[in-house]
Amino acid sequence: MPQKTANIFPGQPRVLLVSMRNLKLHVSRSAPYEFEDVICGCDTVDLITPTFDSNLFKVTNKIANQAAKILKNGELVSSLVNYKFQVDKEYDLFFFFCQSIQDILVLNSIKGWRDKCRYAVCWLDEIWLKDIDNCQVQLRLLKKFDNIFMNFSSSVAQVADIVERPCHSIAYGVDAVNFCPYPRDLSRCIDVLSVGRRSLVTHEALLKHAEQENLFYIYDTIKDLYMADYRYHRSLYTNFVKRSNYMIVNKAKFDLIGQKNPQEEVGPRFFEGAAGGTIMLGVPPKCEAFTNNFDWSDAVIEIPFDSPDISNIIADLNAQPERLAKIRHDNIINSLLRHDWVYRWETILARVGLDITPKMLERKAYLNKLTEMVTPENCHQKPQLALVD
């Protein structure tokens, strides 16, 4: 049966989307902003982007959330006291990607969003079971939404009990078009990429190898990573991933896992590494969400978290070019066909009963076209360009 598409007329946006992109500039925010950009590119959207002094907002937001807890009513407090926006048009859908539950107070500064929008959907990102009891005041504000989507599947049931609204598990996603190394067929000039939390043992071993051998190793060197511009950061990171032979990946907040926090979840790094066609090395989470979304062979090659012999592991893998080519192929193909953000947006629209758009169909068609360029043969490592004196 052919897919039903929305009857959308130019100049009549059907989606009202609130973005924190001018308020929160930590690097962890770049993926949600990427998702918002994909939505804007394949649907008709009015974008609300509150602006406030970032340093003052940090203090104000923290104080506002503490006040909400004291008053036991999040509706009485706004984190953006100098920003007010009145929704004066009608929309089919209101959408808010809430990375931190403390972000939810920004909605108190947007008047009429619930009255003017036929449906309201929130994507609640990265909320741990251990933190839920401490943020019930903010969570209760989610009762205004028709549906809540959560990529931490183990937290869904407890949040649903509090908000008394339908809560659904949804996988993270990625801009598979931008992360795909095709059609340019890029050379993988970076040997190993490691971003975010890492094992000091593995890191020191890679540093030693880079000093003694011909190894190009890229890693973070500063704390508290903030972006001057999320688009520049995302572009740089995307190009690192699709030019890397290997990428170190681990389950979300692996350094917090233990008796006090046994929850294991899938972080965005797995989706990004797969989409870029890199060989992922690390400790994958032991959870249904990982098994369901990375159900092909060698999606992640599991190695000990502390791997002092990482150089030998990589050398052994380099001696298996056919295996590596198949891994790259499978990673890219599955990402193009399953994990692009357009599929997540399609899932959200279907849940509230809204039709997909012609632009979404175009994007899905292009994702399929890209798969035709990805074969095990052309996934073999291409020789790097020689430098000319």
Side-chain angles (χ1 to χ4, degrees), residues 228-364:
D229 186 301
Y230 82 90
R231 292 185 180 90
Y232 292 159
H233 170 75
R234 197 63 176 172
S235 175
L236 178 65
Y237 172 62
T238 300
N239 278 292
F240 279 167
V241 173
K242 60 188 178 183
R243 286 172 167 82
S244 296
N245 276 302
Y246 298 96
M247 183 175 181
I248 306 298
V249 295
N250 287 292
K251 53 195 173 187
K253 301 288 175 64
F254 57 85
D255 52 343
L256 301 180
I257 302 298
Q259 290 184 344
K260 293 184 178 180
N261 183 32
Q263 185 175 357
E264 298 200 12
E265 299 286 355
V266 186
R269 207 81 69 217
F270 294 94
F271 295 93
E272 295 158 352
T278 188
I279 308 299
M280 294 187 285
L281 308 176
V283 182
K286 294 177 173 59
C287 60
E288 186 178 355
F290 180 82
T291 302
N292 290 343
N293 289 290
F294 296 90
D295 53 0
W296 59 95
S297 177
D298 285 337
V300 177
I301 297 177
E302 187 164 1
I303 64 173
F305 173 61
D306 292 325
S307 293
D309 61 340
I310 184 67
S311 296
N312 292 330
I313 293 172
I314 290 175
D316 180 63
L317 288 168
N318 284 341
Q320 305 173 63
E322 299 298 329
R323 180 187 179 190
L324 298 186
K326 185 178 187 305
I327 294 172
R328 296 191 197 286
H329 170 269
D330 292 348
N331 282 353
I332 297 171
I333 291 292
N334 278 282
S335 299
L336 290 170
L337 296 180
R338 298 168 58 183
H339 295 321
D340 185 75
W341 285 122
V342 74
Y343 305 121
R344 308 301 184 251
W345 188 236
E346 184 176 27
T347 296
I348 290 168
L349 294 178
R351 176 61 62 176
V352 297
L354 293 178
D355 298 328
I356 62 174
T357 69
K359 288 288 187 181
M360 292 173 67
L361 288 178
E362 290 177 15
R363 184 175 180 91
K364 290 170 67 175

Side-chain angles (χ1 to χ4, degrees), residues 77 131 149 156 195 209-210 299 304 346 373:
V77 183
D131 298 328
F149 289 85
V156 170
V195 294
H209 191 175
E346 184 176 27
M373 306 177 191

Side-chain angles (χ1 to χ4, degrees), residues 80-346:
L80 298 175
V81 294
N82 292 333
Y83 181 90
K84 301 293 180 183
F85 183 90
Q86 180 68 48
V87 180
D88 55 10
K89 295 190 295 185
E90 294 187 352
Y91 299 88
D92 284 333
L93 179 63
F94 178 87
F95 181 73
F96 181 43
F97 194 111
C98 184
Q99 188 185 60
S100 166
I101 189 57
Q102 293 193 352
D103 294 349
I104 200 70
L105 294 185
V106 75
L107 299 182
N108 291 338
S109 299
I110 302 169
K111 306 303 180 184
W113 65 268
R114 179 64 273 196
D115 295 335
K116 292 291 186 178
C117 298
R118 182 181 171 195
Y119 301 109
V121 168
C122 177
W123 180 310
L124 182 57
D125 182 28
E126 196 169 309
I127 182 164
W128 297 89
L129 280 167
K130 67 181 183 64
D131 298 328
I132 290 176
D133 286 342
N134 195 39
C135 56
Q136 291 197 38
V137 171
Q138 293 93 333
L139 282 171
R140 281 194 284 271
L141 292 178
L142 296 177
K143 291 185 177 184
K144 293 184 177 181
F145 288 88
D146 298 296
N147 288 274
I148 296 100
F149 289 85
M150 299 170 56
N151 47 288
F152 273 21
S153 57
S154 300
S155 301
V156 170
Q158 190 166 331
V159 170
D161 288 342
I162 295 170
V163 302
E164 300 176 329
R165 304 301 300 156
C167 294
H168 317 280
S169 177
I170 191 169
Y172 219 79
V174 67
D175 186 336
V177 173
N178 282 345
F179 273 83
C180 183
Y182 301 96
R184 294 175 64 190
D185 196 14
L186 300 172
S187 172
R188 295 191 179 272
C189 51
I190 300 169
D191 293 302
V192 182
L193 175 66
S194 175
V195 294
R197 290 173 170 83
R198 64 188 173 219
S199 158
L200 183 59
V201 172
T202 306
H203 176 61
E204 291 289 348
L206 286 167
L207 283 178
K208 183 177 180 180
H209 191 175
E211 292 170 358
Q212 297 178 350
E213 305 291 341
N214 184 23
L215 179 82
F216 187 15
Y217 173 41
I218 288 185
Y219 51 91
D220 292 333
T221 58
I222 58 177
K223 288 185 176 181
D224 299 327
L225 300 165
Y226 287 87
M227 307 171 287
D229 186 301
Y230 82 90
R231 292 185 180 90
Y232 292 159
H233 170 75
R234 197 63 176 172
S235 175
L236 178 65
Y237 172 62
T238 300
N239 278 292
F240 279 167
V241 173
K242 60 188 178 183
R243 286 172 167 82
S244 296
N245 276 302
Y246 298 96
M247 183 175 181
I248 306 298
V249 295
N250 287 292
K251 53 195 173 187
K253 301 288 175 64
F254 57 85
D255 52 343
L256 301 180
I257 302 298
Q259 290 184 344
K260 293 184 178 180
N261 183 32
Q263 185 175 357
E264 298 200 12
E265 299 286 355
V266 186
R269 207 81 69 217
F270 294 94
F271 295 93
E272 295 158 352
T278 188
I279 308 299
M280 294 187 285
L281 308 176
V283 182
K286 294 177 173 59
C287 60
E288 186 178 355
F290 180 82
T291 302
N292 290 343
N293 289 290
F294 296 90
D295 53 0
W296 59 95
S297 177
D298 285 337
V300 177
I301 297 177
E302 187 164 1
I303 64 173
F305 173 61
D306 292 325
S307 293
D309 61 340
I310 184 67
S311 296
N312 292 330
I313 293 172
I314 290 175
D316 180 63
L317 288 168
N318 284 341
Q320 305 173 63
E322 299 298 329
R323 180 187 179 190
L324 298 186
K326 185 178 187 305
I327 294 172
R328 296 191 197 286
H329 170 269
D330 292 348
N331 282 353
I332 297 171
I333 291 292
N334 278 282
S335 299
L336 290 170
L337 296 180
R338 298 168 58 183
H339 295 321
D340 185 75
W341 285 122
V342 74
Y343 305 121
R344 308 301 184 251
W345 188 236
E346 184 176 27

Side-chain angles (χ1 to χ4, degrees), residues 372-385:
E372 299 172 4
M373 306 177 191
V374 187
T375 65
E377 290 73 27
N378 64 21
C379 284
H380 279 278
Q381 170 60 28
K382 303 295 188 298
Q384 298 182 25
L385 296 176

